[in-house]
Structure formats: C-alpha cells, structure tokens
Amino acid sequence: RLLMSGFFNAHAHTPMTLLRGYGENLKLGDWLNTRIFPFEARLNGEDVYYGTLLGLAESLRFGIVSSTDMYYFCDRMAEAVLESGAKNNLSRGVTCFTEEELEALPAFQETAALFRDCNGAGEGRLLVDLCMHGEYTTTERTMARMIEYAGELGTGFHIHCSETREEVEGCKSRHGGKTPVGYLRGLGAFENRTVLAHGVWLEEGDLELLAAAKNVTVASCPVSNLKLASGICDVPALLERGVNVAIGTDSVASNNSLNMLADMKIYALLQKGWRQDPTLVTPKEALYAATRAGALSQGRPDTGLLAEGMKADLTVLDISGPNMNPVHDLLNNLVYSASGGEVVLTMADGRVLYRDGEYLTIDIEKVKHGAAGACARILRELER
C-alpha cells in the first residue's frame, strides 16, 4: 500500500457528470450551442444535487479530496459537498452583458448569499470563492466590481482565461490590445488569490505578468483542452518562471472522467511530445501539480502534503498489481503506470469517505438513480 496526499482538482464543473458522453466529436461552438447549453438550460436544483454527488463519488474513487468548482444552483451543490464529507472551493459562475449594477444581478445575489451562508462550513471543508465566467461573457464594469468585492471579502477569484485563440484575439480587440491576462491584471485580479482556468494561449508578456504575481495559479486542463482541440498550455514556460501550476479535470462533458491519475500522466507526457523534449515535466512536478499546487490554489496551505501538522486529506493506493511492479522508482510508477484503479481509500480531514469500493457517506445507488432520472427527463424535454 502507498499512503500519500489526496489529489486536488483545480478546475471543475462537477454537476456536469450528467452530460458525460452527450456531446462528442464536435467543434467547440457546435458542442456548446447544440448540446451543452440546451441541456443545461433545463437543469434544476435537484438535478444539480444528484450530478454533484455523482461527481463527488467519482472523485473520491480516484483519490480527489477537494475540487475547485464553478457552476450554478450552488446551494444544492453545497448541500451535496457537506453530505459527502469532501472538500470544495465553490463559486457561482457570473455573466453579464448589460450595464446593470453588479449587486442587481440575480447571480451576484446568489453569490453573496452563498458566501454568507456557506463559506467555512463543514469546519472549513467548504470555501466560497467569487467567479466570473470569463472576460468575453461580462462587461468591464461588472468584472472590476466583482474583483473588488473578492478583495473586500478576502476570498479567491476563479475565471476561465485564455482558453482559445479566439478568446484572446477578441479580448485584444475589445480592450486596446490587452490579452485576458493583461486585462485581469489591470483590473486588480492578481491582488487576490486567483485561479486562471486553462491558460492555453499565453503570450510572452502574460508569462512575465504571471511570474510577478504571487497569488495566481494556472489550472491546466490537458485532457479537456485536447478533446476540444483548444490547444496546449505551455506548462514548462510557466514552471520556469515560478508560476504555480495545478491540474484541473474540467467537466466530464469535455473529459469524460474525473481520474486524476490519468490526467496527471497526460499532463506530463503532453509537454514531452509537443516540445519534443523528454526531460520536460518530471513525475515529481506532475505529482506536485496534482497535490500541493492544487491545495495552494484553493487557499489551503495546511494540506496537499503527507507531513506532520498537515490535514489528513489522504489517499491509499494498492501497488501490488503487476502494472506497478517491479519498482525501480515508485514515483515513476505512480505517474506513468497507475491507472486509477489502484485507489483503495480516500479520506478528508481524517474521515474515511471511500474504502475498497464502498462509499461511506454517499448512497451511490440512490445517486445513480437520481442522475439517470434527471437525464431522462431533460432528454424528453429536448425532443419536444
């Protein structure tokens, strides 16, 4: 058995388990507009509750103890997280295409209520961050006020950033040549703890701005970015400059699983093949991205390491299988040989949540039934 830190998923949309396999082999615009958005428009709170629990069960199955989530119906997501015993940094994705005051937006009112009622719940297992969906889905006035509000609350800020070439070029045309990174930095986002999801199309100036920022994490989502053909995050360039880089699965609609061990392997191999340099992204760097870097991105300095004084957010792997032997270097086997099936136990704050195929806090059959019912209802509605 191998006892180690649990994994920290730095960017997720956990309720989107309900869309697993629903939109495949489509270009991003078609994927969003013909599959994802129409399905999501019919979700209700109960659907999101079951989708969240299904995703949390899958996360625990693969050793993930905490995720950074962006979605809506966040009150039901918080309920699911607290029931499960897992940890989560939860944020309500906000968009705005008008010049309304931020405080007048229903999504902001949900955010404020979520922070008031849930931040620090479960003895600190649940933290609430603020979130804008992206630069291209909100006005500058709204973005600036949300960033300011995050500073007032002393909490984190979560946003999609530089995911596609079109996003970056559109931002430059809208904001006097500024990239999304430059735009956000100019609005003060980097004064807060900030997670930039994706970071695929970063320019040289962006790298320097991120190197100078001390509170910013780039959440690389290698599997999602490959599947949607968005591009490849230049992880080595970020690491060379001392930027904190963590791993995000993104949603299972664009990943199909929440298997952090699989994502960790692709995170490492992708850079070697892309740059034609086998020395890039070592197993040690990949494991750090999936554990300690993710914990720090969530504002959880007391976890992500197997060390005295750290929170017992741990996972145990069975390393007796043939794919894990012989052992010349256990770290190499963990990153390159493990499949995810080796996880036999996951605990958060010292409480065992998953052990040997059993979910100790989640009624998995009830959850699967609830998720299947939600999908069936939505598909019927879409056929009308």
Side-chain angles (χ1 to χ4, degrees):
R1 297 291 190 269
L2 170 66
L3 174 67
M4 58 175 284
S5 168
F7 300 118
F8 291 77
N9 187 350
H11 177 65
H13 309 281
T14 298
M16 291 180 73
T17 49
L18 300 179
L19 290 98
R20 189 193 318 267
Y22 179 63
E24 302 295 343
N25 306 307
L26 296 171
K27 292 183 179 180
L28 180 60
D30 292 337
W31 180 74
L32 288 171
N33 292 308
T34 68
R35 308 298 278 182
I36 304 304
F37 292 158
F39 190 104
E40 288 186 320
R42 289 162 173 80
L43 289 171
N44 60 40
E46 190 77 352
D47 302 333
V48 167
Y49 169 77
Y50 281 116
T52 302
L53 279 173
L54 185 63
L56 290 170
E58 183 178 358
S59 295
L60 295 172
R61 172 65 186 82
F62 290 118
I64 296 173
V65 294
S66 186
S67 298
T68 298
D69 256 309
M70 174 195 299
Y71 216 61
Y72 52 104
F73 292 109
C74 289
D75 56 336
R76 299 308 307 275
M77 290 183 68
E79 182 182 346
V81 169
L82 293 172
E83 286 180 10
S84 74
K87 296 187 172 184
N88 196 280
N89 279 49
L90 184 56
S91 60
R92 201 307 185 182
V94 177
T95 62
C96 178
F97 298 97
T98 70
E99 291 301 323
E100 287 183 85
E101 294 290 340
L102 176 67
E103 288 77 4
L105 298 176
F108 173 82
Q109 293 165 10
E110 291 175 29
T111 292
L114 185 70
F115 188 89
R116 180 192 67 228
D117 298 337
C118 296
N119 187 52
E123 297 183 322
R125 288 189 293 107
L126 181 61
L127 300 178
V128 176
D129 294 334
L130 300 195
C131 170
M132 300 302 302
H133 174 268
E135 172 275 328
Y136 57 100
T137 55
T138 193
T139 63
E140 183 170 343
R141 177 184 182 187
T142 304
M143 181 77 76
R145 177 63 188 119
M146 185 67 97
I147 291 169
E148 180 183 32
Y149 188 57
E152 292 171 4
L153 294 178
T155 194
F157 184 70
H158 185 192
I159 188 169
H160 294 110
C161 180
S162 301
E163 182 177 2
T164 65
R165 187 198 298 268
E166 292 76 14
E167 173 197 337
V168 172
E169 294 306 315
C171 180
K172 289 162 76 172
S173 69
R174 286 186 290 271
H175 301 292
K178 292 182 181 178
T179 64
V181 169
Y183 170 73
L184 290 169
R185 192 257 188 186
L187 294 179
F190 296 174
E191 301 303 313
N192 308 318
R193 173 176 52 82
T194 292
V195 174
L196 304 178
H198 300 292
V200 172
W201 293 94
L202 299 176
E203 301 182 358
E204 183 62 32
D206 297 332
L207 296 174
E208 299 309 316
L209 290 176
L210 292 171
K214 302 305 179 186
N215 301 319
V216 179
T217 296
V218 174
S220 176
C221 304
V223 175
S224 175
N225 294 153
L226 283 175
K227 188 181 180 190
L228 294 176
S230 299
I232 299 172
C233 175
D234 193 348
V235 170
L238 291 165
L239 295 179
E240 286 170 8
R241 290 164 174 80
V243 179
N244 192 50
V245 183
I247 298 175
T249 61
D250 209 357
S251 80
V252 299
S254 60
N255 183 312
N256 294 69
S257 80
L258 297 170
N259 185 344
M260 184 59 79
L261 282 153
D263 282 35
M264 185 165 57
K265 180 176 181 177
I266 292 175
Y267 173 83
L269 296 184
L270 184 58
Q271 303 299 326
K272 301 174 189 296
W274 180 41
R275 295 298 190 189
Q276 299 182 31
D277 183 348
T279 69
L280 297 178
V281 186
T282 65
K284 183 178 180 180
E285 289 171 331
L287 181 61
Y288 184 89
T291 55
R292 181 63 171 170
L296 294 175
S297 77
Q298 295 183 349
R300 300 181 188 270
D302 57 357
T303 188
L305 294 171
L306 183 64
E308 184 177 357
M310 291 284 143
K311 294 281 189 180
D313 300 324
L314 305 172
T315 189
V316 177
L317 280 68
D318 180 350
I319 56 173
S320 66
N323 64 310
M324 298 297 285
N325 284 277
V327 181
H328 296 288
D329 184 313
L330 184 54
L331 184 55
N332 292 342
N333 285 13
L334 179 66
V335 174
Y336 296 137
S337 304
S339 66
E342 298 79 9
V343 174
V344 294
L345 184 147
T346 304
M347 67 167 63
D349 275 358
R351 181 186 182 191
V352 176
L353 308 178
Y354 170 84
R355 181 174 55 217
D356 295 327
E358 182 181 1
Y359 299 91
L360 303 181
T361 58
I362 297 172
D363 184 340
I364 192 63
E365 294 305 321
K366 179 181 178 181
V367 167
K368 289 192 293 184
H369 179 76
C375 289
R377 190 202 80 248
I378 290 171
L379 293 176
R380 286 196 302 269
E381 292 177 4
L382 288 169
E383 290 172 356
R384 291 174 186 168

